[in-house]
Amino acid sequence: MKKPLQLFPILFLWLLFAPGLLSAQQDTTQGSTKTDSTKKVDFSLMPFLSYNRNLELMFGAIPMMMYKLDQADTISPKSLSGLSAIYTTNGSFFVAGFNRWYFKEDQWRASLFALTGDNNSQFFMDDIDTPGFYDYGTKTTIVSVGIQRKIIDNLYGGITYTYSHYDTQYEDDVQPPSTTKTNGLEFNLLLDTRDAVYYPTSGRRSRLRWITYPQGLGNEVEANKILSEYNHYFSVHDDRDVIAARFAGKFGLGDIAFEQQVTVGGKDIRGYSQGKYRGDGLMSLQGEYRYNFNEKMGLVGFAGMATIYGSDTDSFNWKLYPGAGVGYRYRAFKTVKFNIGLDAAVGKDDWGVYFRIGESF
């Protein structure tokens, strides 16, 4: 019997947030020249509030700051650093730190992410006498570091290393306690023609990633994944609003262990929080309309469809999983258009409320 995926929704918020920051281009948001030149650090303290059917009510705080590594560098976007501390009413907690650095006139980009926490979650099993959801608790530690280099205009290449450690206990002894360590090595290419870092209004972003878990790095199970995505942004209504479209494909190669499987939910597609539909691969399409009714606030509406293959539950394979919802956005920094907000979405027999740091894609 395969082990359940040691992954939880709050981590996903940070993982979807990180790639957009790492791969973004120079911010072209208009702002006060006086403010930009005199204020070296832009600080924001954000409350965190979210809910889903798995972790229940989540609340905490997220201090963040934007800054230039080199004040004489007028090309690189502002770098970003922050911390987060989250507690949930099902008894879970998470503490994370994240950094995204842009330097050498945007020739180089680097990232550092670390998380520790105690996650009380659930997974779906159907190959036992009583199929259904079963609880488990996982003590988790994750550290990830990455670097990217500009190859030619708009094209970047990079490498990322991620270490993960999981210590898990299962409800009703449906599986024995387990300790899992993974060492992932990612090679990536990014083609980015967007006009802004944190809030693109035009352009495209195409990314290809190969993630390998070789036994030579200490992994018990050798696995490989190819992850692809394509985002396109269109400015409408005299550049006031934005239409965003996205395709994502996540493909497992060979005999994929449960720890390396993918799940319908989060960025692809919102409206699924129970972690029920998972398999070796996933494909999704979605669109989002971003309506800005003033400089500081906006609303979004979104809808999409996903499918999976390679699920342990055969009836889940190649079915269509729709999701749709609405959200609210608020500008968090004065000098850069960078939004936080809340999304509410419904899916197939599921739903969720999501706190957003930056846009969904």
Side-chain angles (χ1 to χ4, degrees):
M1 182 184 298
K2 294 181 179 179
K3 293 184 292 183
L5 181 64
Q6 321 294 349
L7 196 62
F8 40 92
I10 188 64
L11 171 61
F12 179 80
L13 290 173
W14 292 110
L15 294 182
L16 72 88
F17 177 49
L21 295 174
L22 181 61
S23 63
Q25 286 187 313
Q26 178 183 2
D27 183 7
T28 59
T29 303
Q30 296 295 321
S32 169
T33 302
K34 181 179 180 180
T35 300
D36 288 344
S37 62
T38 59
K39 191 173 184 179
K40 295 183 178 181
V41 178
D42 195 356
F43 178 81
S44 180
L45 177 60
M46 307 178 191
F48 182 97
L49 184 65
S50 189
Y51 182 89
N52 66 42
R53 300 170 69 183
N54 189 3
L55 295 174
E56 301 176 355
L57 180 65
M58 298 172 273
F59 57 92
I62 306 173
M64 302 172 62
M65 61 181 182
M66 285 186 177
Y67 53 93
K68 285 276 191 179
L69 288 176
D70 182 358
Q71 294 298 317
D73 184 351
T74 60
I75 297 177
S76 296
K78 286 189 173 181
S79 297
L80 177 71
S81 295
L83 296 171
S84 66
I86 310 297
Y87 180 79
T88 81
T89 53
N90 82 340
S92 303
F93 72 89
F94 316 99
V95 178
F98 54 93
N99 298 273
R100 297 291 173 266
W101 295 297
Y102 306 85
F103 51 99
K104 295 293 183 181
E105 297 184 337
D106 204 19
Q107 296 292 315
W108 291 92
R109 299 167 178 181
S111 65
L112 175 63
F113 172 81
L115 178 144
T116 187
D118 198 351
N119 173 47
N120 298 314
S121 191
Q122 65 180 13
F123 67 103
F124 185 82
M125 296 181 66
D126 70 342
D127 54 352
I128 57 176
D129 293 337
T130 308
F133 286 99
Y134 287 84
D135 293 336
Y136 69 90
T138 301
K139 297 183 184 299
T140 304
T141 300
I142 298 174
V143 179
S144 181
V145 58
I147 188 75
Q148 280 187 328
R149 177 69 163 88
K150 180 181 285 187
I151 301 172
I152 58 175
D153 287 347
N154 302 321
L155 180 65
Y156 290 80
I159 185 171
T160 299
Y161 167 75
T162 301
Y163 168 81
S164 304
H165 182 278
Y166 309 102
D167 186 6
T168 303
Q169 303 286 329
Y170 301 93
E171 176 191 25
D172 297 334
D173 295 325
V174 294
Q175 294 196 46
S178 65
T179 298
T180 303
K181 298 179 182 179
T182 63
N183 295 273
L185 198 60
E186 173 188 315
F187 301 91
N188 55 70
L189 285 173
L190 168 74
L191 181 63
D192 195 340
T193 64
R194 295 177 298 171
D195 65 339
V197 176
Y198 304 111
Y199 192 85
T201 61
S202 64
R204 298 178 298 273
R205 176 178 179 268
S206 181
R207 190 164 64 127
L208 181 65
R209 303 159 62 195
W210 172 42
I211 305 176
T212 180
Y213 301 88
Q215 290 183 332
L217 285 182
N219 296 289
E220 294 182 5
V221 178
E222 185 169 334
N224 293 274
K225 294 194 296 184
I226 292 178
L227 309 181
S228 61
E229 59 185 87
Y230 176 81
N231 301 339
H232 204 142
Y233 305 90
F234 307 89
S235 178
V236 294
H237 284 177
D238 297 325
D239 297 332
R240 185 194 69 183
D241 303 335
V242 178
I243 295 176
R246 172 179 171 83
F247 164 80
K250 304 175 182 180
F251 309 100
L253 302 178
D255 186 13
I256 300 299
F258 213 109
E259 285 81 1
Q260 280 81 41
Q261 287 188 318
V262 293
T263 307
V264 177
K267 181 183 292 188
D268 303 302
I269 295 284
R270 282 164 282 180
Y272 295 85
S273 60
Q274 292 183 296
K276 183 176 181 179
Y277 305 108
R278 62 182 66 185
D280 292 348
L282 177 149
M283 288 174 284
S284 67
L285 283 170
Q286 61 178 311
E288 180 170 294
Y289 190 93
R290 299 168 183 173
Y291 169 61
N292 297 289
F293 54 85
N294 64 34
E295 292 184 356
K296 292 186 176 181
M297 291 182 286
L299 299 173
V300 300
F302 51 88
M305 191 84 66
T307 188
I308 61 172
Y309 67 89
S311 174
D312 291 341
T313 304
D314 289 338
S315 61
F316 292 169
N317 289 323
W318 301 112
K319 298 295 192 299
L320 294 179
Y321 300 101
V326 296
Y328 168 78
R329 298 290 183 268
Y330 180 81
R331 183 168 172 168
F333 293 96
K334 293 181 179 180
T335 59
V336 176
K337 185 169 178 57
F338 179 90
N339 289 332
I340 62 172
L342 281 174
D343 289 344
V346 295
K348 182 179 180 180
D349 301 321
D350 204 350
W351 58 275
V353 177
Y354 308 85
F355 181 87
R356 297 236 60 88
I357 301 173
E359 301 306 319
S360 54
F361 57 88

